[in-house]
Amino acid sequence: MFVQVIQGRTGKPEDVHAALERWLTELAPGAAGWLGSTGGVTDDGRIIALARFESADAARRNSERPEQDRWWRETAALLDGDAQFADSEEVTLDLVGDPDEAGFVQIMRGSGTDPDRARELMTQDSDKWAAFRPEILGTVAVVHPGGGYTVAIYFTSEADAREGERKEVPPELQANMEEMNKLSVGEPEFFDLKQPAIRSPR
């Protein structure tokens, strides 16, 4: 699997959201090898989007489509400055429910000292985490070259997510969480998408 992460800023959040929705409805059906997309704009104007493809070649072929080029030029004009791109083929999906039904998505971007161990920890005790945080429909974890990472967490709603955050982590999961925190370098950046644009092929 291949994922491209796109990040930027905008002073026109409604226009960017409309552009993301337009891609999902008009361009996605013709994107061979496309597996799903998640994107949105935070309250402070930060844009982030994840596009998943079967392979880097599939993503490249999509980028070469004239309609894709036209859409991107129109969307890029809505940004404040240039967008940043981060590609990876190190992707882990952990799906409990249907992420397309999420009412709230939180995306974290940061860096760590041991991406392989972090990925291993994320897949441990998944049944226990699912029982502890039933509002989480799934996650997409991406490891970038150099130790960077992007993790998208799909929630039933923002209210459910905030309630889950207040719960005390049970002892059997505490050690896992503490080790994950020790692997992080600095503070991760959080993107709260209250109106996420999400879709995957049906």
Side-chain angles (χ1 to χ4, degrees):
M1 188 184 299
F2 173 86
V3 168
Q4 182 170 76
V5 181
I6 307 166
Q7 184 177 336
R9 281 189 170 275
T10 185
K12 301 176 179 179
E14 292 182 1
D15 292 342
V16 169
H17 185 78
L20 293 173
E21 289 288 354
R22 189 169 68 252
W23 191 93
L24 294 175
T25 56
E26 298 177 8
L27 278 75
W34 170 71
L35 299 176
S37 295
T38 300
V41 185
T42 64
D43 287 347
D44 60 355
R46 289 173 297 145
I47 304 165
I48 191 162
L50 281 70
R52 294 185 290 114
F53 289 87
E54 291 177 351
S55 65
D57 284 343
R60 177 184 51 77
R61 289 194 300 271
N62 174 67
S63 296
E64 293 172 349
R65 293 191 298 159
E67 60 268 39
Q68 172 68 26
D69 180 65
R70 183 167 55 253
W71 175 86
W72 175 246
R73 283 189 283 106
E74 293 171 354
T75 303
L78 302 172
L79 307 185
D80 299 334
D82 295 331
Q84 302 171 355
F85 297 85
D87 300 341
S88 178
E89 293 181 300
E90 293 190 55
V91 186
T92 302
L93 271 65
D94 185 9
L95 305 181
V96 180
D98 183 359
D100 287 5
E101 299 298 320
F104 175 68
V105 176
Q106 187 174 76
I107 297 177
M108 295 181 293
R109 299 206 71 195
S111 60
T113 57
D114 191 342
D116 291 335
R117 177 57 179 161
R119 188 163 54 247
E120 182 181 331
L121 286 169
M122 287 193 68
T123 57
Q124 281 184 4
D125 300 318
S126 57
D127 55 336
K128 294 179 182 178
W129 280 107
F132 174 58
R133 298 291 299 273
E135 78 280 8
I136 297 177
L137 299 173
T139 61
V140 176
V142 184
V143 176
H144 303 288
Y149 66 83
T150 303
V151 178
I153 308 174
Y154 299 80
F155 297 90
T156 50
S157 70
E158 183 180 11
D160 292 341
R162 301 310 180 195
E163 183 179 347
E165 289 174 355
R166 291 191 290 269
K167 293 166 65 175
E168 185 175 350
V169 179
E172 62 268 25
L173 297 175
Q174 188 68 45
N176 178 298
M177 196 170 184
E178 289 176 354
E179 185 175 354
M180 282 287 291
N181 291 336
K182 288 178 181 178
L183 294 176
S184 295
V185 177
E187 291 295 325
E189 184 176 8
F190 290 87
F191 300 79
D192 288 353
L193 305 184
K194 299 179 180 180
Q195 292 182 294
I198 314 169
R199 196 158 306 169
S200 58
R202 295 294 186 177

